[in-house]
Amino acid sequence: DLILDVSAETKVGALSNAAVAYVRAVLQAHELSCFFSTVHGADDVPAPKPSGEGLLVCCRDVGLDPAQCIYVGDSPSDGLA
């Protein structure tokens, strides 16, 4: 529900430790792809989480400084990232 409530002006990205093709397939299967400005998986960023490198890639993709972003995760490796 959160993703549906986010303002249209808000840029949303997805970063997963799964392969990017899988992430895109899941978003598409749930008709959520249109809400995401950037989508990445562990196989298309410099290093998987808990490295923060993938988060930096997402920030660059949406044209924002990391200080302007909020990251929401669902696992311990997300907290470390």
Side-chain angles (χ1 to χ4, degrees), residues 10 21 25 28 40 50 60 65-66 74:
T10 301
Q28 187 172 12
H40 288 283
R60 283 191 296 271
D65 185 274
D74 65 353

Side-chain angles (χ1 to χ4, degrees), residues 3-57:
I3 196 71
L4 301 176
D5 293 336
V6 173
S7 166
E9 294 85 34
T10 301
K11 297 175 183 176
V12 178
L15 174 64
S16 174
N17 273 345
V20 68
Y22 176 77
V23 179
R24 288 189 175 127
V26 169
L27 292 174
Q28 187 172 12
H30 294 281
E31 299 180 352
L32 296 171
S33 297
C34 62
F35 296 103
F36 290 83
S37 301
T38 185
V39 177
H40 288 283
D43 60 335
D44 77 336
V45 295
K49 297 179 285 182
S51 169
E53 291 298 313
L55 295 174
L56 295 175
V57 170

